[in-house]
Amino acid sequence: KKSSSAGAKLRSKIPSLTMGSSMGWEGNGNYWFWDAIFVPRVMGGIMLTAALLGLSTGYLGPFLPVLPPMLPSSFGLFPKRKGEGEKKNKKVRVYMDGCFDLMHYGHANALRQARALGDELVVGVVSDEEIIANKGPPVWTMEERMVMVSGLKWVDEVIANAPYAINENFMKKLFDEYNIDYIIHGDDPCLLPDGSDAYALAKKAGRYKQIKRTEGVSSTDIVGRMLLCVRDRPNNDNQNHASLQRQFSHGHDHSDEGGGSSSGTQVSHFLPTSRRIVQFSNGKGPGPNARIVYIDGAFDLFHAGHVEILKCARKLGDFLLVGIHTDQTVSANRGHHHPIMHLHERSLSVLACRYVDEVIIGAPWEVTKDMITTFNISIVVHGTVAESNCLLHGDVDPYKAPKAMGIFNILESPRDLTTTSIIKRIVANHEAYKKRNKKKAENEK
């Protein structure tokens, strides 16, 4: 650097870097190019190379700034450090449990909210034995409740025979075996027979999250509505029906001050909004060449039989369109106290099903040629099991048009289950459900 002769030799070897014949030299013979240009360019090149290859420029000395890698980690030049990226890519798994007996759109909305708190939703379905011990006999079997939960579009995995209360052993199993990050429940209290909180351990562990309960519907209220359907029928058990209907409508056996009884049931307090319907909807239409399958019905008290016939129908095409009859249509064909669930409640229950792509809210009783053309329907189907009505085999055939077009199919229903058969289960177990609600009222008190 100090020797002009040495500098001349160096300049002759790297003329392209000296930017001219005399610009790199000072009057005293110092070669300022080395500090001002050569070192920064060479070291800059080294840093750039390190950044491209994903190396830490910290290895080059404390005097150099640290540059971020400029190639993706998947480039494969160098192995990742152990654990690198695992935390970032790990899916958040949440767990929610329940009895899910007489499952309704309130249950579905709870699971939708739970799913929004993570990437995967695991649902525990409480065993029959645990429900009997803590609440009383369930209306649906364990297998029927599993079908209902598995059929929801927000559920990724189902655990059968889950405990009613989460003890330490089961909580450890959730965290270690099922990789659960958080346990979810609604903001309504869930009490054990001794009055303690069923989720106390999860809260203590700091792994508990809460969602908002869906107002306007409950299994207790639905049973009250169901019993109203049989109250006016002539039957030797009419007194039991009325007693059971009062019990479920008001939460306990209730007589007025005059010794009489209340005869009405709670009406639905559900107020439908476009936002809630959008939350339940897929938001996707059929493709240009999609085979659209259409099935219609009341879908009242949405149950396992409905889920499985919809699953069968979906397999026949690319897009399942479900027509849901109006309250007036259902009432005209099944009786004054039907449907149990009103149109928008039934619509949400059907929309929550993973096999359903779209619904027609308030579909006409008769499937016309104009309707088939409008919705580009490829095939119309109907199950072999349905509620009896006077019009299905009467003067007006609702499927006359699709039959004439050769696009009507009868599907063998996987289950012999109807709304009426579920009501009969309730009535047949009058005393058991009476005790169940009395126990529930005492626990809540």
Side-chain angles (χ1 to χ4, degrees), residues 30-45:
N30 289 336
Y31 182 59
W32 63 263
F33 162 78
W34 183 266
D35 286 325
I37 295 178
F38 183 75
V39 172
R41 288 194 181 186
V42 171
M43 298 310 296

